[in-house]
């Protein structure tokens, strides 16, 4: 075949492969939509969805200056300045584009399908990135791997409308552009990297990873003595444009010049200027002594700059690390000082099975790929190595950061597998010494230049004796690899469909006969709130459900998933942890009219509020250590119990009473059983004086209580209830009333 | 152009802190200066003059910020950032068109370098004006 034909066929195959990969990436994310319905899943996406609706209905400027008075009820929230607007802007653009071409799609469907669509783009950008590392075949392999790897799917199934949905695409594409800028030394690619970096900053808080990865790469290159003008051009144009661009996002503001997370980029920028200047001077003067003089000058200035940064941080001019980032280094920090960070399940360390479940065989091939990068060690391979090391560490510290590890695992594994296949598919037999060199040219046109090479080589030097002989070894290895890849695909599909494709809004349960039942209590309760309460009724719940209440029930909430005001959350925690008499005035002060609690005791739903109760207590006792004490909720033997051994503080707390109010009536006398905590409840259930049960969902998951209005006669509710229940004082006893004189 | 050349030499001396070995360093500096003026093409000298201007402008803004006020901090950042950004973009252009670096930038012709420079500057100044 002519080389032209080969080239055309190859590019055709490439295009077909890439589109099939994108199709597979999209299709494997649709389990949740097909099995259930097209809705937004978790907690955070509900806010993103609500914000996107504002953007779609009112326009961009309105969205940019949106003040949301219903969140954080008495305070309100300046949404424009406290979010990363990239995700909403993206879906707003897509929405308007589809309108413009007369495809009027509902904004909800745009939001639901955004993540699968972008996963296709992620596959493509990983292809581009890996192509820079090795060659196109490795790129295609990496695209396949990232297209279906569960570690990435877990954050990007259809319906999970979260920032990570577009962030991974932007991450890989920014890295690709950076590698390109470094390789070519082109200011164009540096500027493009800066623009995509800007998009990334607008989209996800994880942009800090990029601002530290690229400088680290540059620094390591300088330390390895691989400084080149290309590095200078690429890095400077990226930093100068990217920093100014990142400051345009209101949520980021002046952080790139005032916080410690961004100082590495600034420091490396300064260092590169010095090195560049030194190199320039050295090109003009050849004196050895002068070189060393400048070298020392560069080192001293570099050290001085470092000291200056340290001093500025000490003095407080530069803000130190924020708690979220600091807890990545000092892993015990969050648990001790900021319980609200430690209380999120995503912020726990990762266990080994999670690595295997999310990455399957890739986790074993990954180190091989990194090792192969060490063997070649071009400038861009250094990047993969650093990325692999950093991301592995962070993924080990936090479950959530598995997401940033997945791309590099796919890239490294693709490099390894493709190197293996290159070696074993290559039909070139290494000539043994007795075989004539002519027999080797059985390579049938796969490459035109190949047959000539070994001939000249064998003439010059003796052919290597080691190598692959015969078809059997090759076939064995190739089939084995193929088999592993097949298992990988099966594993990915299985994990995706079983573990990652369940909308948390709808709970799926399976009856004993195998038929599946859907538990839809959340929406039942939220829609009850939406339809049966006044529009301005404030709902108090734990912060986990804040976004969902605002999104589905459309009612003001006290706290929500954006945990920016710790004291306010602690107030809610205190209200739940204290007794009715104490909680009532607190709720009245905040104009609360409904209280919502979750109870999983009836159907074994373990994520209910009683299991989160300890965190509420901890967060509240961080602010009011005298009023809320964690030890009061434990039995003398240090157990957290809800049965008759429960402490008085526990059984009188608002959370306990609200959870188990009338719960005993469901069972026969003395039969009440909590199925989550596996404890037998006391025979007599708690009573509520200050609240009325307003709504309880079908499976008793969501319980909504109405806060009673003040008593007409000015009594407190306890006495009023006692009076109406007919509990009289003992006969013949004249009450001696003691009131303070007013 | 006498004023430019003097400012250029002061900037180099300020960058290389060699106060103790004044005799040898002044010797080295003068040899550096003569080598520079002899070897550098006129085009690069023009770029260097622009670089010196940018550096001075940035320094003046910085001194103003430190001495008087940093109150509209975004305005300061925008102005200073535009100086720094333009400086590094111009320096990038300089190293790309420098004939000494020809083997390093194989893919980039001087014309391409200038187009990159123009595009980078436009993007930079868009952000500067947006931030001002």
């Amino acid at each position: 075949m002519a080389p032209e034909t080969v080239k055309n066929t190859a590019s055709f195959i490439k295009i077909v492969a890439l589109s099939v990969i994108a199709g597979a990436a999209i299709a494997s994310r649709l389990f949740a939509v097909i099995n259930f319905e097209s809705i937004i899943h978790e907690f955070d996406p509900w806010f993103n969805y609500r914000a996107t609706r504002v953007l779609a209905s009112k326009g961009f400027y309105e969205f940019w200056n949106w003040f949301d008075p219903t969140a954080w009820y008495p305070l309100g929230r300046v949404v424009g300045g406290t979010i990363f607007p990239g995700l909403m802007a993206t879906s707003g653009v897509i929405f308007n584009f589809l309108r413009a071409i007369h495809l009027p799609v509902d904004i909800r469907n745009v939001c639901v399908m955004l993540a699968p669509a972008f996963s296709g783009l992620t596959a493509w950008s990983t292809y581009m990135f890996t192509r820079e590392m090795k060659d196109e075949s490795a790129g295609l392999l990496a695209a396949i791997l990232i297209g279906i790897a569960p570690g990435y799917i877990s954050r990007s199934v259809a319906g999970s409308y979260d920032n990570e949905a577009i962030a991974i695409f932007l991450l890989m594409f920014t890295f690709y552009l950076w590698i390109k800028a470094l390789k070519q030394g082109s200011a164009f690619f540096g500027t493009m990297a800066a623009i995509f970096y800007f998009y990334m900053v607008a989209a996800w808080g994880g942009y800090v990873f990029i601002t530290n990865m690229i400088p680290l790469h540059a620094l390591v290159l300088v330390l390895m003595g691989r400084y080149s003008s290309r590095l200078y051009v690429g890095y400077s144009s990226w930093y100068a444009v990217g920093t100014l661009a990142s400051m345009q996002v209101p949520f980021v503001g002046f952080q790139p010049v005032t916080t410690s997370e961004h100082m590495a980029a600034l420091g490396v920028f300064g260092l590169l200027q010095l090195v560049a200047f030194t190199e320039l001077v050295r090109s003009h003067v050849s004196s050895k002594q002068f070189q060393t003089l400048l070298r020392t000058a560069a080192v001293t200035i570099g050290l001085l700059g470092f000291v200056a940064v340290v001093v500025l941080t000490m003095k407080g001019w530069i803000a130190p690390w924020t708690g979220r980032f600091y807890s990545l280094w000092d892993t015990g920090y969050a648990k001790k000082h900021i319980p609200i960070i430690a209380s999120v399940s995503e912020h726990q360390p990762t266990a080994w099975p999670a690595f295997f479940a999310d990455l399957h065989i890739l986790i074993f091939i990954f180190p091989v790929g990194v090792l192969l990068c060490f063997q070649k060690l071009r400038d861009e391979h250094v990047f993969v190595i650093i990325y692999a090391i950093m991301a592995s560490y962070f993924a080990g510290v936090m479950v959530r950061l598995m997401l940033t590890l997945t791309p590099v695992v796919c890239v490294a594994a693709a490099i390894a597998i493709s190197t293996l296949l290159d070696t074993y598919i290559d039909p070139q037999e290494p000539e043994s010494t007795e075989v004539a060199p002519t027999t080797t040219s059985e390579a049938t046109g796969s490459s035109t230049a190949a047959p000539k090479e070994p001939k000249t080589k064998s003439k010059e030097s003796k052919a290597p004796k080691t190598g692959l002989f015969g078809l059997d070894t090759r076939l064995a290895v190739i089939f084995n690899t193929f088999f592993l890849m097949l298992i990988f695909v099966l594993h990915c599909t299985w994990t995706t469909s079983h573990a990652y494709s369940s909308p948390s809004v709808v709970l799926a349960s399976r009856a004993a006969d195998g038929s599946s039942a859907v538990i839809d209590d959340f929406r039942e309760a939220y829609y009850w709130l939406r339809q049966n309460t006044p529009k301005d009724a404030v709902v108090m719940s734990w912060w986990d459900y804040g976004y969902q209440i605002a999104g589905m029930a459309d009612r003001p909430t006290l706290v929500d998933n954006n945990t920016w005001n710790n004291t306010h959350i602690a107030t809610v925690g205190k209200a739940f942890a204290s007794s009715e008499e104490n909680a009532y005035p607190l709720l009245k002060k905040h104009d609360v009219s409904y209280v919502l609690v979750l109870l999983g005791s009836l159907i074994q739903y373990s994520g209910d509020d009683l299991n989160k109760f300890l965190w509420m207590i901890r967060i509240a006792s961080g602010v009011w250590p005298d009023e809320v004490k964690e030890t009061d909720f434990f039995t003398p033997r240090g157990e957290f119990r809800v049965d008759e051994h429960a402490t008085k503080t526990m059984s009188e707390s608002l959370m306990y009473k609200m959870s188990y109010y009338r719960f005993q009536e469901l069972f026969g006398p003395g039969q009440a059983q909590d199925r989550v905590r596996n404890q037998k409840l006391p025979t007599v259930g708690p009573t509520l004086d200050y609240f009325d049960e307003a709504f309880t969902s079908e499976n008793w998951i969501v319980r909504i209580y109405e806060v009673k209005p003040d008593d007409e006669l000015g009594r407190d509710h306890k006495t009023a209830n006692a009076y109406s229940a007919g509990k009289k004082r003992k006969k013949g006893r004249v009450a001696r009333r003691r009131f303070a004189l007013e | 152009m006498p004023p430019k050349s003097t400012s250029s030499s002061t900037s180099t001396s300020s960058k290389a802190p060699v106060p103790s070995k004044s005799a040898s360093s002044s010797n080295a500096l003068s040899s550096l200066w003569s080598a520079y003026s002899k070897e550098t093409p006129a085009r690069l000298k023009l770029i260097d003059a622009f670089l010196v201007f940018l550096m001075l402008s940035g320094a003046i803004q910085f001194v103003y910020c430190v001495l008087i006020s940093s109150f509209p901090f975004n305005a300061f950042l925008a102005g200073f950032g535009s100086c720094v950004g333009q400086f590094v973009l111009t320096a990038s252009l300089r190293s790309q068109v420098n004939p000494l670096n020809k083997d390093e930038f194989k893919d980039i012709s001087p014309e391409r370098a200038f187009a990159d420079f123009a595009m980078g500057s436009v993007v930079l100044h868009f952000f500067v004006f947006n931030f001002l």
Side-chain angles (χ1 to χ4, degrees):
Chain A
M1 276 186 285
E4 198 74 349
T5 334
V6 171
K7 212 176 144 196
N8 283 342
T9 320
S11 70
F12 175 71
I13 290 175
K14 213 167 60 195
I15 291 169
V16 170
L18 271 176
S19 35
V20 168
I21 289 167
I26 292 170
S28 68
R29 283 164 170 81
L30 298 182
F31 281 110
V33 166
I34 292 166
N35 285 345
F36 298 96
E37 59 195 292
S38 161
I39 48 162
I40 309 285
H41 286 182
E42 299 278 334
F43 299 113
D44 282 6
W46 274 99
F47 173 75
N48 299 334
Y49 171 52
R50 203 160 72 95
T52 314
R53 258 194 337 214
V54 170
L55 173 65
S57 60
K58 291 186 184 163
F60 190 74
Y61 287 104
E62 199 64 27
F63 165 70
W64 195 253
N65 297 318
W66 180 29
F67 177 80
D68 182 9
T70 64
W72 296 88
Y73 165 64
L75 309 168
R77 174 179 178 192
V78 187
V79 177
T82 53
I83 50 160
F84 293 102
L87 182 71
M88 298 98 192
T90 308
S91 39
V93 166
I94 294 173
F95 175 71
N96 286 324
F97 171 73
L98 289 178
R99 290 243 138 162
I101 59 168
H102 299 293
L103 278 175
V105 180
D106 186 21
I107 185 74
R108 175 175 56 88
N109 288 322
V110 174
C111 293
V112 167
M113 299 306 290
L114 189 77
F118 266 86
S119 72
L121 285 176
T122 309
W124 172 73
S125 60
T126 312
Y127 161 75
M128 300 294 272
F129 181 81
T130 318
R131 206 178 62 169
E132 295 301 316
M133 295 299 151
K134 193 166 172 286
D135 49 12
E136 286 179 343
S137 51
L140 283 177
L141 212 50
I144 297 174
L145 298 180
I146 191 110
I148 56 173
Y152 175 44
I153 286 191
S154 65
R155 294 324 198 87
S156 64
V157 287
S160 95
Y161 179 56
D162 215 343
N163 291 332
E164 290 92 334
I166 62 171
I168 296 300
F169 160 66
L170 293 172
L171 185 84
M172 287 318 282
F173 204 66
T174 312
F175 283 157
Y176 161 69
L177 289 170
W178 157 246
I179 292 297
K180 199 88 182 157
L182 175 71
K183 267 176 135 179
Q184 293 197 355
S186 141
F188 170 74
F189 280 108
T191 315
M192 288 308 288
I195 290 173
F196 273 87
Y197 170 68
F198 165 62
Y199 191 8
M200 173 78 181
V201 174
W204 194 35
Y207 75 91
V208 179
F209 185 61
I210 299 185
T211 34
N212 287 305
M213 272 302 299
I214 293 180
L216 191 63
H217 184 208
L219 180 68
V220 169
L221 286 182
V222 170
L223 290 182
M224 289 167 81
R226 290 175 173 225
Y227 171 81
S228 64
S229 304
R230 293 192 306 266
L231 176 64
Y232 176 82
V233 173
Y235 187 83
S236 305
S237 53
W238 169 75
Y239 182 77
V241 179
T243 307
L244 258 180
S246 69
M247 288 194 285
Q248 320 278 326
V249 179
F251 193 26
V252 176
F254 298 138
Q255 278 181 29
V257 288
T258 53
T259 56
S260 299
E261 285 99 24
H262 302 79
M263 281 305 125
L266 184 62
V268 172
F269 181 67
L271 181 74
L272 273 185
Q273 306 301 322
L274 288 178
V275 175
F277 185 71
T278 317
E279 295 288 318
L280 179 71
V281 171
R282 200 173 67 173
S283 71
H284 287 295
V285 178
S286 58
S287 151
K288 198 92 187 165
Q289 168 225 358
F290 199 72
Q291 267 183 41
T292 51
L293 193 70
L294 278 170
R295 280 256 166 96
T296 48
V299 168
T300 34
I301 292 179
L303 279 179
L304 278 180
F306 180 71
V307 169
V309 167
V310 169
V311 167
L312 282 176
T313 314
M314 294 282 181
K315 285 260 180 191
W317 288 75
I318 297 174
W321 295 81
T322 56
R324 261 162 225 266
F325 287 109
Y326 190 73
S327 61
L328 287 176
W329 303 109
D330 183 357
T331 44
Y333 177 78
K335 197 155 195 174
K336 259 179 268 164
H337 301 284
I338 328 169
I340 203 155
I341 293 180
S343 76
V344 180
S345 63
E346 286 174 339
H347 294 173
Q348 306 300 324
T350 319
W352 284 112
F355 279 106
F356 185 72
D358 275 356
L359 298 165
H360 198 59
I361 52 164
L362 302 189
I363 200 68
F364 305 120
I365 307 174
F366 166 53
V368 182
V370 177
L371 195 74
L372 286 174
C373 285
F374 263 114
Q375 280 181 352
K376 292 247 179 60
L377 211 63
R378 292 201 305 265
D379 285 354
E380 61 267 26
H381 292 135
V382 178
F383 185 78
V384 173
I385 292 165
I386 300 171
Y387 185 6
I389 293 169
M390 299 300 285
S392 309
Y393 171 75
F394 289 133
V397 174
M398 240 188 224
V399 177
R400 189 184 181 180
L401 295 177
M402 183 73 96
L403 185 68
T404 51
L405 176 67
T406 307
V408 73
V409 169
C410 292
V411 170
I415 291 174
I417 297 174
S418 120
T419 311
L420 185 78
L421 290 182
D422 279 352
T423 321
Y424 281 86
I425 287 185
D426 181 19
Q428 208 79 49
E429 287 260 346
E431 323 99 64
S432 49
T433 36
E434 59 271 346
V435 180
T438 43
T439 54
T440 57
S441 55
E442 58 162 288
T444 49
S446 71
S447 59
T448 46
K452 278 178 190 168
E453 232 175 84
K455 274 184 194 168
T456 50
K457 212 173 157 192
S458 61
K459 271 169 197 165
E460 283 164 13
S461 63
K462 284 289 163 199
K465 276 184 187 173
T466 55
L468 298 165
F469 295 96
L471 213 58
D472 46 352
T473 41
R474 289 158 197 271
L475 283 183
V477 171
I478 291 168
F479 274 126
N480 195 20
T481 316
F482 188 71
F483 179 69
L484 276 180
M485 299 306 291
L486 213 61
I487 297 283
F488 174 72
V489 174
L490 291 178
H491 170 86
C492 289
T493 318
W494 186 85
T495 315
T496 309
S497 64
H498 281 76
Y500 293 135
S501 296
S502 47
S504 62
V505 177
V506 183
L507 305 173
S509 72
R510 208 161 272 279
D513 58 343
S515 66
S516 67
V518 165
I519 295 168
D520 204 0
D521 280 32
F522 290 105
R523 283 192 294 181
E524 189 189 343
Y526 292 143
Y527 279 95
W528 182 87
L529 270 179
R530 193 189 184 101
Q531 288 166 350
N532 298 300
T533 59
K535 186 97 172 91
D536 54 351
V538 179
V539 181
M540 181 180 96
S541 73
W542 190 235
W543 61 263
D544 293 13
Y545 322 112
Y547 281 161
Q548 288 195 342
I549 292 171
M552 286 193 255
D554 194 22
R555 291 291 172 268
T557 53
L558 276 193
V559 290
D560 64 28
N561 304 43
N562 167 276
T563 53
W564 62 277
N565 188 333
N566 198 15
T567 319
H568 211 53
I569 292 176
T571 310
V572 174
K574 184 187 168 192
F576 276 129
S578 50
S579 65
E580 265 189 281
E581 297 88 14
N582 296 338
Y584 183 73
L586 198 61
L587 299 193
K588 274 287 167 192
K589 273 184 203 161
H590 287 90
D591 293 346
V592 174
S593 30
Y594 290 92
V595 181
L596 179 148
V597 294
L598 261 66
L599 176 71
S601 304
L602 193 62
I603 57 152
Q604 268 190 321
Y605 172 65
S606 59
D608 67 350
D609 274 345
L610 272 172
N611 278 357
K612 294 172 187 164
F613 193 34
L614 271 182
W615 286 110
M616 301 184 200
I617 298 164
R618 270 173 211 156
I619 289 166
S621 65
V623 181
W624 292 281
D626 299 335
E627 296 169 53
V628 183
K629 292 195 190 70
E630 198 180 334
T631 47
D632 288 348
F633 293 86
F634 291 109
T635 59
R637 289 168 62 194
E639 291 166 316
F640 185 72
R641 301 190 74 120
V642 294
D643 52 7
E644 63 257 30
H645 299 296
T647 61
K648 193 159 171 293
T649 326
M650 178 71 194
S651 59
E652 280 187 356
S653 68
L654 191 63
M655 176 59 71
Y656 184 88
K657 283 186 162 184
M658 285 194 164
S659 295
Y660 292 129
Y661 183 62
R662 300 205 307 125
F663 187 68
Q664 277 79 357
E665 294 170 19
L666 284 176
F667 303 86
Q671 299 290 311
Q673 176 85 11
D674 185 325
R675 289 198 189 142
V676 175
R677 284 152 285 271
N678 282 326
Q679 292 173 19
K680 217 168 161 199
L681 292 171
T683 337
V684 183
T687 53
L688 279 172
D689 288 322
Y690 294 79
F691 301 89
D692 280 330
E693 185 183 0
F695 179 81
T696 295
S697 62
E698 191 188 345
N699 297 298
W700 286 60
I701 292 186
V702 186
R703 313 200 65 187
I704 300 172
Y705 292 87
E706 190 173 5
V707 180
K708 275 190 191 170
D710 283 328
D711 189 59
E712 289 112 340
L713 301 176
R715 303 165 294 183
D716 65 34
H717 285 291
K718 202 168 190 174
T719 10
N721 276 354
Y723 181 78
S724 53
K727 286 182 189 159
K728 291 178 193 160
R729 289 192 198 85
K730 279 193 180 156
K731 245 182 190 172
R733 234 192 190 183
V734 180
R736 257 190 215 143
R737 303 194 170 195
R738 288 185 184 171
F739 291 115
L741 293 172
E742 296 195 17
Chain B
M1 33 182 160
K4 272 174 198 159
S5 60
T6 50
S7 60
S8 164
S9 69
T10 50
S11 72
T12 48
S13 64
S14 69
K15 277 240 170 171
V18 279
S20 56
K21 308 165 189 170
S22 56
S24 68
S25 68
S26 70
N27 198 8
L29 276 183
S30 63
S31 72
L32 170 68
W33 178 245
S34 62
Y36 169 78
S37 43
K38 199 166 64 202
E39 288 168 14
T40 313
R43 234 190 236 176
L44 290 189
K45 276 185 179 161
L46 184 69
I47 293 180
D48 284 342
F50 184 49
L51 285 179
V52 169
F53 162 73
L54 282 173
M55 203 190 283
L56 283 180
S57 144
I60 289 169
Q61 289 181 40
F62 190 74
V63 167
Y64 179 88
C65 169
V66 168
L67 290 185
I68 298 174
S69 159
S70 69
F71 161 58
F73 194 48
N74 57 338
F76 164 69
L77 281 181
F80 191 67
S82 81
C83 280
V84 173
Q86 195 62 64
F87 180 86
V88 294
L89 284 176
T90 319
S92 304
L93 174 69
R94 188 191 189 281
S95 67
Q96 281 170 340
V97 299
N98 198 339
L100 292 176
N101 292 340
K102 203 155 221 170
D103 51 339
E104 247 185 84
F105 298 99
K106 289 185 201 81
D107 306 332
I108 295 174
S109 61
E111 291 77 17
R112 164 84 195 276
F114 188 75
D116 284 0
F117 166 74
M119 183 234 168
S121 305
V122 166
V123 172
L124 178 78
H125 282 93
F126 167 75
F127 283 123
V128 165
F129 278 114
N130 196 29
F131 198 58
L132 206 60

